[in-house]
């Protein structure tokens, strides 16, 4: 039986077989249960933490259908790799609840709690963090706000502290949340709407979206382009295997539209800023996350595809800005032919993307 004919289980750990897997739950100060998963093949001085984006999960790093990030890191000598599933993970129900979490909450609560639990197991060993999408934005916010410290290196894919989007995305960011919450409903978006019961609101939204996305026949791909793309797919189709394309509903989950409000504020500001400076819950965070840029000494690798239709040239701009604050500290890698998501879930990412990340990690290791 070929991989195309097999059904890959949802939330499976089958993509990492030559390692000991263990789950490590932890809680945030604002009352959410989250967890880390450790994939240990061998002890080493340099530990790697993988941070997913909004509506994805740790699954994006352990996919069985191709060489995944965890296995690649193990083979490259990084034998102790961790993934974190935090509040924006599709493995939790939080994205589809009637709450209004924002990225400040993630920077203040999730990432510090995850690092504290990680340190409880690994002590003072060096930690390298590889991040994607709003995981990259929120972790960079935490690093530049000082809620996480002691990071040896950080890799940010697609976006970091200067989110930029296509014009159509800006319109959706502005009008989408109130339209969804108060007029159209429901209050969250889900790539599974294409298979929702006929004539439900989710089904009708998926049908309305489909004619504008002619790149393929997969309803979940159409919804993801609507949810995150500037009218175009979130990846380059040629980089994605048919197996991966067919299980997009398993790799991406629901998205609470309130996160869009925070993204819009950052896009309009041209940089990562606090959602509501008047909110006393986040008084410990800076209003402008780049205000202390010159004090951050963690080297950052900014990754971006040159066909990024979600956050366009965000990381190019962020690298340019930080180069002025801390010359020579950070690096930029532009990936030819890649979009937003395919640098991690692409069929050939292990030959075209991962080696650049590992090269960066090895140069920043002790």
């Amino acid at each position: 039986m070929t991989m195309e004919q097999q059904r890959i289980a949802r939330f499976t750990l089958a993509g990492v077989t030559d390692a000991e897997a263990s789950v490590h739950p932890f809680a945030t100060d604002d009352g959410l249960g989250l967890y880390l998963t450790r994939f240990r093949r061998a002890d080493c001085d340099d530990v790697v933490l993988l941070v997913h984006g909004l509506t994805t999960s740790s699954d994006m790093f352990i996919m069985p259908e191709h060489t995944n990030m965890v296995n690649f890191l193990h083979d490259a000598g990084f034998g102790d790799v961790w993934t974190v599933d935090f509040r924006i993970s599709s493995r939790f129900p939080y994205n589809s609840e009637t709450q209004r979490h924002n990225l400040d909450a993630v920077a203040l609560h999730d990432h510090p709690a995850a690092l504290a639990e990680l340190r409880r197991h690994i002590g003072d060993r060096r930690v390298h963090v590889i991040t994607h999408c709003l995981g990259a934005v929120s972790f960079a916010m935490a690093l530049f706000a000082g809620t996480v410290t002691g990071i040896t290196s950080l890799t940010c894919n697609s976006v970091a502290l200067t989110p930029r989007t296509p014009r159509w995305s800006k319109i959706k960011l502005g009008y989408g949340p109130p339209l969804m919450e108060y007029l159209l409903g429901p209050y969250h978006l889900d790539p599974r709407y294409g298979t929702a019961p006929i004539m439900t609101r989710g089904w009708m939204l998926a049908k309305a979206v489909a004619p504008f996305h002619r790149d393929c026949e997969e309803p979940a791909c159409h919804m993801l382009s609507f949810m995150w793309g500037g009218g175009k797919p979130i990846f380059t189709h040629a980089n994605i295997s048919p197996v991966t394309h067919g299980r997009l509903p398993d790799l991406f989950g629901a998205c609470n539209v309130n996160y869009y409000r925070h993204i819009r504020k950052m896009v309009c500001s041209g940089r990562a800023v606090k959602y509501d400076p008047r909110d006393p819950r986040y008084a410990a965070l800076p209003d402008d996350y780049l205000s202390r840029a010159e004090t951050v000494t963690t080297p950052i690798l900014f990754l971006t595809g040159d066909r990024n239709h979600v956050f366009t040239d965000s990381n190019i701009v962020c690298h340019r800005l930080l180069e002025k604050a801390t010359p020579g500290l950070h690096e930029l890698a532009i990936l030819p032919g890649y979009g937003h998501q395919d640098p991690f879930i692409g069929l050939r990412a292990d030959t075209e993307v991962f080696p650049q990340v590992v090269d960066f990690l090895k140069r920043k290791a002790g």
Side-chain angles (χ1 to χ4, degrees):
M1 181 179 292
T2 65
M3 180 63 75
E4 285 80 5
Q5 295 171 317
Q6 293 180 27
R7 173 64 174 153
I8 297 176
R10 195 177 187 185
F11 304 150
T12 181
L13 301 183
V16 183
T17 57
D18 190 19
E20 174 191 354
S22 56
V23 177
H24 303 269
F26 63 94
T28 64
D29 289 341
D30 62 340
L32 296 185
L34 311 176
Y35 62 80
L36 292 150
T37 306
R38 185 182 198 176
F39 300 94
R40 181 165 56 178
R41 182 184 292 181
D43 289 327
C44 57
D45 293 332
D46 291 89
V47 176
V48 181
L49 173 65
L50 305 177
V51 181
H52 61 79
L54 178 56
T55 85
T56 57
S57 69
S58 57
D59 292 282
M60 63 176 282
F61 301 114
I62 58 173
M63 298 163 63
E65 60 263 42
H66 55 70
T67 301
N68 57 59
M69 190 82 230
V70 171
N71 284 335
F72 191 90
L73 287 165
H74 282 166
D75 292 343
F78 294 91
D80 197 359
V81 181
W82 297 64
T83 61
V84 61
D85 282 277
F86 56 112
R87 76 180 65 202
I88 65 176
S89 171
S90 62
R91 288 191 172 211
F92 295 121
Y94 308 134
N95 288 328
S96 57
E97 294 177 346
T98 53
Q99 45 74 15
R100 289 197 166 183
H101 296 159
N102 57 51
L103 296 178
D104 296 321
V106 179
L108 182 62
H109 299 301
D110 295 25
H111 296 312
L115 263 296
E117 176 64 17
L118 179 69
R119 288 292 185 192
R120 196 170 70 83
H121 297 276
I122 69 166
D124 60 357
R125 284 188 280 164
R126 291 183 293 268
V127 175
H128 305 264
V129 183
I130 300 173
T131 64
H132 169 68
C133 188
L134 295 194
V137 175
S138 58
F139 198 92
M141 289 164 58
L143 179 66
F144 280 66
T147 61
V148 298
T149 57
I151 304 302
T152 300
S153 77
L154 172 63
T155 299
C156 295
N157 180 58
S158 186
V159 62
L161 294 171
T162 57
R164 293 160 61 87
T165 65
R167 178 174 297 180
W168 172 231
S169 295
K170 293 180 183 177
I171 295 172
K172 289 191 293 183
L173 289 171
Y175 294 101
L179 282 174
M180 290 300 299
E181 287 186 334
Y182 297 109
L183 183 60
L184 299 176
Y187 49 85
H188 63 268
L189 296 168
D190 196 321
R192 292 179 177 270
Y193 282 164
T195 56
I198 294 175
M199 299 308 295
T200 59
R201 290 184 176 184
W203 180 87
M204 288 189 286
L205 178 61
K207 291 299 182 183
V209 164
F212 299 97
H213 300 279
R214 299 291 188 178
D215 301 87
C216 66
E217 300 300 322
E218 173 55 56
C221 191
H222 304 161
M223 279 302 302
L224 288 169
S225 298
F226 174 73
M227 291 164 63
W228 289 109
K232 297 181 180 180
I234 64 172
F235 43 66
T236 300
H237 272 88
N239 294 336
I240 303 297
S241 80
V243 178
T244 301
H245 195 255
R247 69 184 196 104
L248 292 176
D250 290 349
L251 294 171
F252 296 84
C255 176
N256 190 290
V257 297
N258 195 61
Y259 286 111
Y260 293 162
R261 292 186 172 98
H262 200 172
I263 298 169
R264 180 179 183 272
K265 185 164 185 178
M266 293 185 186
V267 169
C268 292
S269 301
R271 58 212 293 130
V273 293
K274 189 184 293 181
Y275 180 63
D276 182 3
R278 300 166 299 178
D279 192 333
R281 294 176 299 172
Y282 307 112
L285 299 174
D287 293 347
D288 177 356
Y289 285 90
L290 281 164
S291 60
R292 309 170 187 173
E294 69 281 353
T295 68
V296 175
T297 57
T298 299
I300 302 173
L301 171 62
F302 294 97
L303 288 176
T304 186
D306 65 357
R307 300 181 187 179
N308 188 338
H309 301 303
V310 178
F311 286 110
T312 62
D313 61 346
S314 297
N315 271 356
I316 297 173
V317 171
C318 196
H319 176 260
R320 184 187 308 140
L321 188 153
L322 290 180
E323 180 66 16
K324 296 177 181 178
T326 50
L329 180 61
H330 309 298
E331 300 180 22
L332 171 68
I334 300 175
L335 307 170
Y338 277 81
H340 168 71
Q341 187 76 34
D342 36 337
F344 287 113
I345 71 170
L347 181 61
R348 296 174 298 276
D350 62 313
T351 61
E352 298 175 347
V353 180
F354 297 169
Q356 298 184 58
V357 177
V358 166
D359 173 68
F360 176 72
L361 266 57
K362 286 185 174 180
R363 287 188 285 108
K364 302 308 173 185

